Amino acid sequence: MYGVCIRKKCKTLQAKRIVFIIHLSKGESFMTGKRKRKLAMPDTLIIVASVVLLVAILSWIIPSGTYDYQEMNINGRIRNVAIDGTYHTIDKSEVTTTGFLGFFSVLYRGCVEAADVIFMILCCCGTFGVVVKTGAFHAGIGTILKKLKGKEILLVPIIMMIFGLGGSVFGMASEFYGFYPLIVGLGVALGYDAMFGFAIIAVGEFVGFMGATLNPYSVGIAQTISGVELYSGTGYRAICFVIFMAISIIYVMIYGRKIKKNPGASVVFGEKNIHAFDRDELNEYSFTLKDGLVLLDVLVVLVVLMLGLIKWGWDFPQLCGLFLLMSMIAAAICKWSPNKWCSEFIDSAKTAMWGCILTGIAKAITVVMQDAQIMDTVIYGLSNVLKNAPHAVSAQVMLVVQTLINFFIPSATGQASATMPIMAQLADIIGVSRQAAVLAFQFGDGLSNIFWPTADIVIICGLGGISLQKWYKWFTPLFLILFVTQAILLGIATGIGF
């Protein structure tokens, strides 16, 4: 009887040990049996809204001020350009700082101010969603993959260079928004992950935009304002473009090879992307005359769009109109009914809703700064820092300044108009050529477009279904590599008298 009791006690103790181990494995407390809560990363929307709150607080702290502006005809367009030496402060009673209720109101105002961009995003996603659902892209990509026969990785440099050249030569950025769902899904279909596909297009187009050769929105405007011969120095800029693209392509391919060997190394491991599709889906398509006509429709529209942007001064209205027409022609080629076109267009546009909301919230940051008139104060303060910089690193300090300013003015044309009149004069004072000053501007503006939460990265993360946190985890090392490369190339430029 005594032995039986001992055996029962032993079994009870053993059971308790098992329960204790289970609790530990689940992260639960031994004393309470409750599971410990893990800290969850905040949603991208919360991060961006937090930046709005921070800027709202700064609107009370940073002195208000402004430069005087003048209208200037730049490549056929009238733009407001800052006048160097005219900065003056403004009393806080004359501006609108953001208070408690104002913080919530400005979120609405941000969406209103960004209405043109939001509709453009919806239009691009709806249009390319229609084109993708015709099966033409899948048939084309599937045919290419069959010919590559296991060498699909070769698509990476080809696709990245196509997007890169679009950004470098034509200044295309938002025009590529509709491609994000397709390229992200392609990354998954090739056996990699959504981040791999996202990086192919995001890094490709924006690194190309940074390494601008003939980009009319950055180089063209900055050189005109600075009094530099239009599109001069293209040779050195082309070298910079090749170097930046080579670094980026290698970085993306190394990541692809790593997750191919070990899927667990993926920064989005275990996450299901809304744009993912299987490789088997591509094999089901065969390329037909209909697919060829749809792709020809896309090609013709893109060529007309490039001409319109460069020669005829087109903007979002013409872009959206052209894209709507493109989707309708694609639907007609496939013999869709008008109702089917409407249904597919709306379904595709729905996928961009998160990105549209993020765009509006991010725009609220600019609205807060405009209300408080602190943008020019930031530019003025940073320009004073530049005046006192050591001569040996003046160009590099100018790069840092332009990178920081892009947080507050995430627009190539806006940043050029606001900063280049000041930076061009400062370049003469600190012994840096105006050509190098333009180079520092395009570097600082271009790369940080996919880093600062006030810029394009918020929009494209929404379009690609990628969280901002995961993007920073993946992109920050590449950002630092490219930033150091920028500083070196600027040093070489000043050394050779560029």
Side-chain angles (χ1 to χ4, degrees), residues 331-400:
I333 291 171
C334 296
K335 298 180 181 179
W336 287 6
S337 67
N339 284 345
K340 181 173 176 58
W341 174 83
C342 289
S343 176
E344 297 293 359
F345 185 93
I346 292 172
D347 284 345
S348 299
K350 286 178 183 177
T351 63
M353 189 52 62
W354 185 53
C356 289
I357 294 173
L358 286 174
T359 302
I361 302 302
K363 185 66 176 179
I365 299 170
T366 304
V367 173
V368 170
M369 291 188 289
Q370 288 174 339
D371 284 351
Q373 295 196 44
I374 60 176
M375 278 186 179
D376 286 2
T377 301
V378 173
I379 295 172
Y380 178 73
L382 291 174
S383 65
N384 285 334
V385 171
L386 185 56
K387 284 181 183 177
N388 300 318
H391 174 72
V393 292
S394 295
Q396 286 78 8
V397 175
M398 190 173 284
L399 168 65
V400 173

Side-chain angles (χ1 to χ4, degrees), residues 19-20 22-38:
V19 171
F20 173 71
I22 292 173
H23 278 303
L24 286 180
S25 67
K26 291 182 178 180
E28 296 175 355
S29 170
F30 174 65
M31 298 298 294
T32 64
K34 295 181 180 179
R35 184 173 297 182
K36 293 180 180 178
R37 293 182 179 179
K38 294 181 180 179

